[in-house]
Amino acid sequence: MNIAIVCYPTFGGSGVVATELGMALAEKGHEIHFISYKMPVRLNFISDSVHYHEVFIEEYPLFRHQPYELALSSKIVEVVEANNIETLHVHYAIPHAYAGYMAKQILKQKDIDLKLITTLHGTDITLVGSHPNYKTAVEFSINNSDCVTTVSNKLKQDTESLFDIKKDIEVIYNFIDMEKYSPKGRCKRHLIARPDQRVIVHVSNFRPVKRIQDVIRCFFLIQEKIDSKLIMVGDGPDKAMAELLAKELGIENKVLFTGNSNEVSEILCFADLFILPSETESFGLSALEAMAAETPVISTNTGGLPEVNIDGQTGYLSDFKDVKTMAYNAYKILKDDDILSGFKKRALKHASTFSIEKIVPLYEKLYFDALKK
Ligand code: GMT
């Protein structure tokens, strides 16, 4: 099948899922065309069935904001016509679903029936999409997609309660390539910590919703009881605040900020614990990546996180901002080698229920079903 995928090219979860999906589909023999304003950061699969099309926008002094949706719609039309694309899969509703709908209408006038699949990822619904500035257009583009998916049951519920949805929404969980996250053999843990220290990791885009100040505060309490180090992977608006907080708490020597990394699996391989204290998280792909690297997770109980992190089994869940409980739960996991090992094994086992082999065929089926509509 010839499939076009529209996504954000950055380190955000939706872009990662879209890119990994496209590469997996190409490996299964589909022809994949990525469309974005920059090469997706995780696109590292060289094959003659993977193509990248860049959306260019000329600066023009009249515009305060460049009309990206227009340029994207035009690019979709061009790519679909030139490559006999049958299915367009857009990740993150804003503005991709809207631009996809416009492209579909333009192509209809040319007697081309492009199927539009929209995957909702989280903040496109919970934080941004439901804002009055965007709500009407987001609701319209969801209702006018041929198929709509969400990455968790909770996100489906949120979508149905925040919008007037006239479509069936299918839940297709985020997925993970288990092979990629089990590199224990080539792990360089000794460069980061002594064998008797515990290593705690957080990965995100350091936006306010991720509550990275809670990661630092939680780690402060943990390191008072357990000799440990914290690795903060990622970059974003709250990074400077977190660095300052670590300094103020006098733990800056125990906290390493690595910046963005394309090699998250190389870092997770030496993690003993992963912390994700987000205010909201529709799924928590980074938690799944950690679990696939045999790492238990301390997370909040918000959004879809309880569908990924099983309380008392693969880690612990607690209320948003409840740093004390998070630290206490971390202590319960880290204090004893046997207990830690049990959590690690269960985290790995549960991660395998989201394996790429199980989830990608669900998207393939969705595309084939859409073509029959
Ligand atoms: O905030 C992020 O991590 C980025 C954001 C995105 O849309 O790019 O992530 C969302 O999509 C991911 C992939 O489906 C989910 O795993 C994240 O939970 C979700 N983020 C939030 O809901 C805050």
Side-chain angles (χ1 to χ4, degrees):
M1 198 186 300
N2 294 347
I3 303 161
I5 294 181
V6 172
C7 63
Y8 282 104
T10 50
F11 285 94
S14 63
V16 170
V17 170
T19 312
E20 299 282 352
L21 175 61
M23 293 190 293
L25 288 165
E27 254 189 276
K28 295 183 102 182
H30 300 285
E31 192 79 19
I32 302 299
H33 293 261
F34 286 100
I35 305 176
S36 193
Y37 58 81
K38 229 178 80 194
M39 175 85 104
V41 287
R42 288 259 183 121
L43 187 52
N44 56 11
F45 182 72
I46 310 295
S47 148
D48 57 6
S49 51
V50 174
H51 312 268
Y52 163 62
H53 307 269
E54 191 150 317
V55 181
F56 292 104
I57 317 179
E58 301 290 331
E59 292 279 329
Y60 186 67
L62 181 66
F63 300 143
R64 186 159 162 212
H65 307 288
Q66 305 307 313
Y68 181 66
E69 292 90 311
L70 250 64
L72 177 58
S73 304
S74 302
K75 182 55 93 178
I76 294 171
V77 171
E78 178 196 313
V79 171
V80 167
E81 282 191 291
N83 300 284
N84 296 319
I85 306 282
E86 303 151 281
T87 308
L88 170 68
H89 190 172
V90 300
H91 291 260
Y92 206 90
I94 306 171
H96 300 153
Y98 196 73
Y101 171 78
M102 287 313 298
K104 184 177 163 77
Q105 293 312 308
I106 296 168
L107 288 159
K108 206 174 187 176
Q109 304 238 312
K110 299 172 181 244
D111 288 329
I112 297 173
D113 180 18
L114 176 71
K115 300 301 181 189
L116 172 62
I117 319 287
T118 297
T119 290
L120 308 172
H121 280 271
T123 50
D124 48 351
I125 295 300
T126 53
L127 287 186
V128 195
S130 50
H131 189 282
N133 287 353
Y134 303 111
K135 192 174 172 192
T136 309
V138 171
E139 187 173 273
F140 176 86
S141 30
I142 293 173
N143 281 330
N144 285 282
S145 297
D146 293 293
C147 300
V148 181
T149 76
T150 57
V151 297
S152 66
N153 286 305
K154 181 63 170 69
L155 184 59
K156 176 178 174 171
Q157 283 165 23
D158 288 344
T159 308
E160 287 170 344
S161 70
L162 291 166
F163 297 91
D164 183 14
I165 297 298
K166 310 248 187 283
K167 281 229 102 63
D168 278 347
I169 295 180
E170 184 168 340
V171 176
I172 302 185
Y173 281 129
N174 284 170
F175 57 86
I176 194 85
D177 182 349
M178 297 293 288
E179 290 269 300
K180 206 167 116 190
Y181 285 85
S182 56
K184 298 286 177 198
R186 56 188 162 85
C187 192
K188 298 190 184 119
R189 189 187 195 280
H190 62 282
L191 298 177
I192 292 291
R194 297 190 315 269
D196 58 318
Q197 283 180 314
R198 300 294 196 205
V199 177
I200 300 167
V201 175
H202 170 79
V203 181
S204 77
N205 47 23
F206 291 24
R207 284 186 293 137
V209 69
K210 302 292 174 180
R211 297 284 308 177
I212 61 169
Q213 66 273 47
D214 290 353
V215 180
I216 304 288
R217 288 192 196 286
C218 180
F219 175 70
F220 174 74
L221 297 174
I222 297 169
Q223 59 84 43
E224 284 186 318
K225 293 198 160 169
I226 288 184
D227 192 0
S228 47
K229 283 210 154 178
L230 173 65
I231 322 278
M232 299 286 284
V233 184
D235 207 341
D238 282 352
K239 186 177 172 208
M241 174 268 285
E243 282 173 324
L244 190 66
L245 182 60
K247 239 185 213 147
E248 279 169 9
L249 292 170
I251 52 170
E252 70 270 30
N253 295 337
K254 295 181 175 183
V255 185
L256 176 68
F257 287 85
T258 66
N260 279 326
S261 171
N262 239 338
E263 305 299 335
V264 175
S265 60
E266 306 280 316
I267 297 170
L268 286 171
C269 73
F270 48 67
D272 295 304
L273 192 73
F274 188 81
I275 305 187
L276 192 63
S278 308
E279 178 172 359
T280 168
E281 200 70 65
S282 68
F283 181 89
L285 182 63
S286 58
L288 177 59
E289 290 178 336
M291 285 160 58
E294 271 195 272
T295 308
V297 174
I298 291 293
S299 73
T300 44
N301 50 20
T302 57
L305 281 170
E307 295 170 59
V308 180
N309 184 19
I310 310 302
D311 196 38
Q313 295 291 314
T314 62
Y316 285 105
L317 301 164
S318 51
D319 290 341
F320 159 57
K321 283 189 186 171
D322 187 355
V323 172
K324 269 193 185 159
T325 306
M326 288 178 209
Y328 177 64
N329 287 335
Y331 173 73
K332 284 199 287 188
I333 294 175
L334 295 174
K335 67 176 182 190
D336 178 282
D337 283 346
D338 289 340
I339 293 174
L340 176 60
S341 156
F343 272 95
K344 285 189 171 198
K345 280 192 191 117
R346 290 189 296 272
L348 180 68
K349 188 163 179 238
H350 187 55
S352 69
T353 60
F354 301 94
S355 74
I356 197 165
E357 292 81 11
K358 287 183 184 143
I359 306 289
V360 170
L362 303 179
Y363 279 115
E364 275 181 298
K365 181 174 180 312
L366 190 79
Y367 300 154
F368 284 119
D369 290 349
L371 286 177
K372 286 187 216 138
K373 282 188 182 174

